[in-house]
Amino acid sequence: MPIQTFSSFEAHAAAVQNANLRATLIGKATAPWTMGGLLLPKLKAQWGQAGAGNIVEGTVIPKGVSIFIPTQNAHVVQMNGHRFDSQMLRLQIPRDELRISSTASHCWFSMFISDEVIADWNATEATAIGSSSGFIRLPSDRAETFRRAVTQLGLIVHREPGALESLAAVNATTRKLEELVREALCCNLVATPKLRRDSLSRSQIVHAVMDSVDQHDCEFLSVAELAIVADVSER
């Protein structure tokens, strides 16, 4: 789904997927209200920019779990009474309520992970992923890698959505995104109480990716980088 810009807070809130939410505007808009998404096998990713402070309450949909991470201005966002920072993401399961409040404009990323994927992960992990909601604090370097990868993928969805249409690009993006999220979720969860009810061309992108790899001698390609390279290689 290409990035959409909404003229109202209500329309923006209604476009949020993978959750049943009630939303309230509490601030004056200082930035656009935007939303974009990517549907992959067993994964659904979404990027949003909230134009002002707001409160969102509800639950995520069943048959999977969701993760949520502010990708810009994390310090203005709280969830269930806990303030985010640049190293924190949230794992949310369907039966637990959520309450996200923010005091200003911010950007965020969320992803719905199907029960089938979680079951595959749990078959090889010592602890059960997705058995409870909680916050995950990543080491600073891993948090930066995660945030950079999902932000870059969001840019591809916005600027060059056709780059993710081929089977090779879809498979590569799905594989690397699963690896990235699985690694994050295998970190120690910080338990929290349950909530009470109170445009660039394709060639320019590819050249930038390859230049980055050459300059940094990277063994790991970000999700967005890998997707573009896979797509071009197929052709």
Side-chain angles (χ1 to χ4, degrees):
M1 176 176 77
I3 297 293
Q4 296 176 281
T5 299
F6 299 91
S7 59
S8 71
F9 162 71
E10 291 79 11
H12 176 268
V16 176
Q17 300 176 352
N18 310 319
N20 300 310
L21 302 174
R22 306 174 299 277
T24 305
L25 181 65
I26 62 173
K28 184 177 181 180
T30 59
W33 299 92
T34 65
M35 193 83 69
L38 178 64
L39 178 62
L40 297 169
K42 306 170 189 175
L43 303 173
K44 298 177 183 178
Q46 196 164 31
W47 294 261
Q49 176 171 287
N54 61 91
I55 298 174
V56 176
E57 300 173 285
T59 58
V60 299
I61 63 175
K63 299 184 179 180
V65 303
S66 291
I67 63 169
F68 174 84
I69 180 172
T71 55
Q72 186 183 75
N73 290 346
H75 64 283
V76 308
V77 184
Q78 292 189 37
M79 187 167 182
N80 292 13
H82 292 256
R83 187 176 299 279
F84 280 93
D85 59 32
S86 60
Q87 293 176 239
M88 186 178 293
L89 64 83
R90 173 75 176 187
L91 171 68
Q92 191 73 20
I93 65 174
R95 64 178 176 268
D96 292 344
E97 289 193 341
L98 63 87
R99 186 176 193 270
I100 304 173
S101 61
S102 59
T103 58
S105 173
H106 60 280
C107 296
W108 53 266
F109 169 79
S110 70
M111 188 169 73
F112 179 79
I113 309 163
S114 71
D115 283 339
E116 183 178 352
V117 174
I118 296 297
D120 289 342
W121 292 352
N122 286 340
T124 57
E125 296 297 336
T127 57
I129 299 171
S131 59
S132 62
S133 299
F135 290 93
I136 300 171
R137 176 172 291 279
L138 303 176
S140 58
D141 57 340
R142 191 183 298 173
E144 174 59 27
T145 296
F146 186 94
R147 192 169 51 252
R148 179 175 66 90
V150 299
T151 298
Q152 288 179 334
L153 181 57
L155 290 175
I156 298 299
V157 171
H158 176 41
R159 297 175 178 175
E160 191 70 13
L164 299 174
E165 291 179 352
S166 74
L167 181 60
V170 168
N171 289 339
T173 303
T174 300
R175 182 173 63 254
K176 292 306 296 183
L177 192 53
E178 281 192 20
E179 291 175 359
L180 192 70
V181 174
R182 178 177 180 172
E183 183 180 40
L185 296 186
C186 286
C187 295
N188 291 328
L189 281 171
V190 180
T192 55
K194 291 185 178 180
L195 176 70
R196 297 180 300 175
R197 298 187 69 91
D198 307 290
S199 148
L200 295 172
S201 69
R202 185 187 308 277
S203 61
Q204 288 176 307
I205 298 173
V206 173
H207 290 156
V209 168
M210 301 313 297
D211 287 344
S212 176
V213 173
D214 291 339
Q215 291 171 10
H216 299 288
D217 193 25
C218 296
E219 295 181 359
F220 172 81
L221 294 181
S222 74
V223 172
E225 291 165 350
L226 201 154
I228 292 297
V229 172
D231 181 60
V232 172
S233 299
E234 185 190 51
R235 298 184 182 185

